[in-house]
């Protein structure tokens, strides 16, 4: 088992105030201040996807991440102030950019066309994470020099031997600037994206927050507080949502996050989902004109703090199942990549139409339509539908 023996040192610059601090708090003054880290870490091999380096501030997380993984430690660079974030991920094709945004839980198209500096802290963090995953292994802009944060006086026994493929991304200060609800959502979204194969990366998070451990579900954990390493892989905690019929007024909380329009039909049936007492997802349905007993989903929105955990699709299917239980048919028509991907994969949905140029709206009935925008329509078949019916 490789042994890491690392000493970090920096000079102490003497001054009157330094002497005052030393006198007030009995701080010994030497020419250099140093800290030593000693750990035993096994060779990681190939059989892992997600790692976690965790510990309180000052415990050496960044130092150890840099020592173990070198240039794979992502280094943040400024975002352009005069460009939308969708233009900030280099030369990636637009479909790959959108896929990365969705995978990290940044799923609101209205926010994709805004510059980085006007976004919320949670949205900025997700953008940084998407950019790190996009740049991947060894990009020149992401390399973090070993000279930063101190100098290695006693070299370690060598960096870990890591496979060349798939690329590895090491992300420092993971979830440090976001609300803890957002931290859980992002952790679950990243873990889901990596383990499903949608993100072709290994990922190591360094953080002072232990609460992300269960949601990130890492294959191994390096705890700097106790200087211990352990293999582990536990399932993510379950998410229990409560679904209610609600008044149209609840739409006000969700309207600005919808990717098409903030309007809502006066005749809509509205549903609200809550997690631990907090609203997360809104869904609304309306009857299809001229089709007795046939409904369609007109709005499905999950608040940004909870995107990436699968709540929207869970609520969509729960609402559709309620309509099926009442003897109704129900469709959903959309162009959002996440919804289309879910319906294509799920045997509970059957594609019934593709309109590459969209359809005209009916303003009189508060139906905006999708003219000029390709959309796909799916019909809900119910739980337990044969898988052959899901072909698109």
């Amino acid at each position: 088992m490789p042994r890491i023996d690392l000493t970090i040192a920096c000079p102490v610059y003497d001054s009157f105030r330094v002497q005052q601090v030393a006198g007030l708090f009995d701080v010994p003054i030497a020419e250099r201040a140093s800290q030593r880290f000693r750990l035993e870490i096994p060779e990681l091999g190939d059989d892992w996807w997600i790692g976690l380096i965790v510990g309180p501030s000052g415990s050496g997380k960044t130092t150890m991440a840099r020592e173990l993984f070198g240039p794979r430690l992502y280094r943040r660079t400024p975002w352009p102030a005069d460009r939308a974030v969708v233009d900030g991920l280099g030369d990636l094709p637009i479909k790959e950019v959108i896929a990365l945004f969705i995978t990290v839980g940044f799923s609101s198209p209205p926010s994709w066309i805004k510059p980085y500096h006007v976004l919320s802290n949670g949205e900025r963090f997700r953008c940084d994470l998407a950019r790190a995953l996009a740049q991947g292994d060894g990009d020149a802009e992401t390399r973090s020099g070993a000279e930063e944060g101190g100098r290695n006086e006693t070299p370690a026994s060598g960096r870990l031997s890591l496979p060349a493929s798939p690329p590895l991304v090491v992300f420092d200060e993971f979830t440090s600037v976001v609300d803890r609800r957002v931290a859980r959502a992002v952790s679950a979204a990243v873990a889901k994206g990596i383990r499903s194969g949608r993100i072709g990366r290994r990922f190591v998070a360094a953080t002072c927050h232990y609460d992300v451990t269960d949601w990130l579900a890492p294959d191994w954990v390096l705890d700097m507080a106790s200087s211990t390493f352990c293999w582990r892989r536990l399932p993510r905690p379950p998410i229990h949502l409560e679904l209610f019929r609600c008044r149209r007024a609840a739409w006000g909380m969700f309207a600005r996050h919808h990717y098409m329009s903030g309007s809502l039909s006066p005749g809509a049936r509205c549903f609200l989902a809550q997690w631990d007492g907090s609203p997360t997802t809104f869904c609304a349905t309306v009857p299809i004109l001229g089709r007795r007993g046939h409904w369609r989903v007109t709005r499905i929105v999950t608040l940004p703090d909870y995107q990436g955990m699968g709540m929207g699709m869970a609520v969509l299917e729960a609402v559709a199942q309620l309509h099926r239980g009442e003897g109704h048919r129900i469709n959903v028509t959309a162009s959002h990549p996440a919804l289309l991907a879910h319906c294509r994969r799920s045997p509970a949905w059957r594609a019934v139409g593709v309109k590459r140029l969209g359809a005209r709206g009916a303003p009189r009935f508060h139906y905006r339509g999708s003219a000029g925008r390709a959309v796909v329509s799916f019909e809900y078949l119910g739980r337990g539908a044969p898988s052959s019916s899901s072909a698109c």
Side-chain angles (χ1 to χ4, degrees):
M1 181 177 290
R3 183 180 182 85
I4 306 296
D5 193 340
L6 177 67
T7 299
I8 297 297
C10 68
V12 175
Y13 299 100
D14 196 11
S15 71
F16 176 69
R17 289 184 176 176
V18 168
Q19 293 291 339
Q20 283 183 308
V21 170
L24 288 170
F25 300 100
D26 292 328
V27 177
I29 296 181
E31 290 186 0
R32 304 182 70 80
S34 63
Q35 187 173 3
R36 188 177 186 182
F37 304 96
R38 287 186 289 184
L39 295 165
E40 289 188 355
I41 302 175
E43 290 292 348
L44 297 180
D46 293 333
D47 193 23
W48 68 277
W49 284 97
I50 301 174
L52 178 65
I53 302 175
V54 66
S57 296
S59 61
K61 299 181 298 297
T62 303
T63 298
M64 193 56 59
R66 184 184 298 117
E67 184 65 23
L68 294 176
F69 303 110
R72 297 176 176 91
L73 179 62
Y74 173 69
R75 182 178 180 180
R76 292 170 177 82
T77 55
W79 288 75
D82 57 350
R83 299 173 67 188
V85 291
V86 75
D87 291 319
L89 270 65
D91 297 328
L92 283 182
I94 184 62
K95 288 186 177 180
E96 293 185 26
V97 172
I98 291 174
L100 270 175
F101 280 163
I102 291 173
T103 301
V104 300
F106 184 44
S107 303
S108 298
S111 295
W112 298 345
I113 60 174
K114 297 177 182 177
Y116 178 84
H117 67 274
V118 305
L119 300 178
S120 68
N121 280 343
E123 290 173 325
R124 291 181 189 180
F125 170 70
R126 294 177 197 254
C127 287
D128 288 334
L129 189 55
R131 182 187 256 188
L133 294 169
Q135 292 176 343
D137 193 24
D139 186 286
E141 290 185 355
T142 69
R143 294 179 186 271
S144 182
E147 72 277 2
E148 294 182 9
R151 184 162 63 90
N152 182 4
E153 293 290 333
T154 306
S157 58
R159 291 190 175 124
L160 297 180
S161 298
L162 295 167
S165 180
L168 170 66
V169 175
V170 183
F171 195 92
D172 197 11
E173 298 295 340
F174 182 72
T175 75
S176 294
V177 298
V178 296
D179 177 88
R180 303 324 301 161
R181 293 177 301 176
V182 177
R184 289 186 292 176
V186 173
S187 299
V190 170
K192 180 180 177 182
I194 290 175
R195 298 199 186 280
S196 68
R198 294 198 300 273
I199 300 178
R201 300 281 188 271
R202 297 180 196 270
F203 182 73
V204 175
T207 180
C208 60
H209 296 286
Y210 286 82
D211 61 345
V212 304
T213 306
D214 291 340
W215 298 92
L216 192 61
D219 298 296
W220 55 262
V221 176
L222 174 58
D223 190 337
M224 295 300 297
S226 58
S227 299
T228 57
F229 176 97
C230 68
W231 291 99
R232 55 155 284 165
R233 171 73 193 283
L234 300 176
R236 188 197 73 184
I239 298 173
H240 299 290
L241 296 177
E242 296 178 288
L243 185 65
F244 307 93
R245 283 289 301 274
C246 67
R247 298 180 182 274
R248 293 181 71 254
W251 173 241
M253 184 186 305
F254 297 83
R256 69 187 182 91
H257 301 294
H258 192 263
Y259 71 101
M260 274 196 344
S261 169
S263 64
L264 182 66
S265 170
R269 296 176 69 180
C270 302
F271 301 84
L272 182 68
Q274 293 185 344
W275 183 32
D276 291 341
S278 298
T280 66
T281 306
F282 179 93
C283 184
T285 63
V286 294
I288 296 180
L289 300 177
R291 299 186 187 179
R292 186 178 180 84
H294 203 157
W295 291 66
R296 65 179 176 87
V297 177
T298 181
R299 295 290 182 265
I300 177 74
V301 179
T302 297
L303 293 177
D305 284 359
Y306 303 98
Q307 291 175 3
M309 304 179 77
M311 291 183 180
M313 299 305 99
V315 170
L316 175 66
E317 295 206 353
V319 170
Q321 187 64 37
L322 286 173
H323 285 71
R324 288 279 298 187
E326 296 172 348
H328 302 309
R329 297 171 65 187
I330 184 166
N331 285 29
V332 62
T333 299
S335 60
H336 195 288
L339 193 151
L340 298 185
H342 171 81
C343 290
R344 286 192 179 106
R345 291 193 305 266
S346 172
W349 295 90
R350 174 173 62 96
V352 294
V354 177
K355 297 181 179 179
R356 300 190 182 280
L357 298 178
R360 290 182 299 175
R364 176 184 173 189
F365 299 101
H366 298 267
Y367 176 49
R368 179 178 176 180
S370 55
R373 176 171 51 88
V375 295
V376 183
S377 295
F378 295 88
E379 181 177 354
Y380 183 69
L381 303 177
R383 294 168 185 159
S387 59
S388 60
S389 63
S390 64
C392 181

